[in-house]
Amino acid sequence: MSKIVAIDVTDIRFPTSTQLDGSDAMNPDPDYSAAYLRVDTGDTGDTGESGYGFVFTIGRGNDVQAGAVRALAERLIGRDVDELLADLGGVWRELVYDSQWRWLGPEKGVAHMAVGAVVNALWDLRAKRAGMPLWQLLGSLSPEEIVDLVDFRYLTDALTRAEALEILTAAQAGRAEREATLLAEGYPAYTTTPGWLGYSDEKLERLSKEAVADGFAQIKLKVGGDLADDRRRLRIARDAVGPDIRIAIDANQRWDVAEAIGWVNALAEFDIAWIEEPTSPDDVLAHAAISRGVAPIPVATGEHAANRVMFKQLLQAGGVQVVQIDATRVAGVNENIAILLLAAKFGVRVCPHAGGVGLCEAVQHLSMFDYVAVSGTREDRMIEFVDHLHEHFLDPVRVTGGAFQAPRLPGAGMQMHEASVREYTWRG
């Protein structure tokens, strides 16, 4: 009988010198970090497989997040692996609805993200046991198996189990063909690499041109510091990429409602693909007002949306036109499946947030699963790409011709090289 025999949580921090030489409006001094979890299994006297998960942070507080992951993951020790992996929907509910743990949220922040690390590590283990990358494993599940993973509590006024089954059943036709397409062509990407605040005009222009040469059909610029500066930078970027490449902008929660509407409309002449995180990620009504005020420019948000209920409300209120899931912000794979189903119900496209430490490696699996088994489309959808820190992962992303190439190795993509873990473990 295989059991969970040990867990290990590491506070990993990459020093400032290894990071992007730019910043954003709300995070001017990021120190890219991760609370990194390893779950070890074994039979009596034998070492078994390990599953890996993490929570991405930007430095201070990573020790707090690591402590939360450790406190929760220790509850797995001694549990039967087969039973856990056979009922990951039940495991999700057990962790999320623990009354004492739930008091620390409920379903938000450090506590909820710790649930995500544990759930994702178990999915990594399940995919490795199946000998499949996570996207392919999820895409092989039946509609009934997928909905069993989702908790519909608080969602049924927007999405019922029956409606989710209908969405998934409708997408069954063509699954094999879409999987073959992914393996041959990959999944579209866009790049944030040119657009960090703090870059010189010359660097912005050069990186924008390089992005087009590399096959990207969309770039993204950070905005929100100074309107005149944003207009100048957008003019440089637009001249560099030409009229056919999309340019999105990201305000990183900078504005109040009226300021957001005025600022975005002042940039509309540059043919804006979307405005990302214009205001507080918790303010559903503000997103709805901004969406009305800047239309037809879409509003994109979600990287800081705490849970599936926030996404439900944003969709119900018309406050989001581009859903940006994040692999480690909510409580893992299960909750992201719920969000993908909500987006499909409302007919809203999904373009995940990535970058950071390992977020590209992790979230690509969710978009690829969505294409294979949920939405059935890649049209006007793309995954964010930042060319940063991928070398630390066992299965780093491969982006060629402006597309994420489908992962082939078994697992969820969250495992780091042991040498990187040793070198960047935070020791105070």
Side-chain angles (χ1 to χ4, degrees), residues 40-51:
D40 296 330
T41 71
D43 298 313
T44 305
D46 294 323
T47 300
E49 302 147 303
S50 298

Side-chain angles (χ1 to χ4, degrees), residues 172-196:
Q172 276 194 295
R175 271 195 191 189
E177 291 81 0
R178 290 192 293 273
E179 181 175 323
T181 298
L182 267 182
L183 291 168
E185 301 176 4
Y187 197 100
Y190 78 90
T191 181
T192 306
T193 297
W196 297 93

Side-chain angles (χ1 to χ4, degrees), residues 98-120:
D98 176 282
S99 63
Q100 295 178 354
W101 192 260
R102 185 176 177 79
W103 186 262
L104 302 177
E107 298 185 48
K108 62 177 70 71
V110 170
H112 204 51
M113 291 189 287
V115 174
V118 174
V119 168
N120 287 341

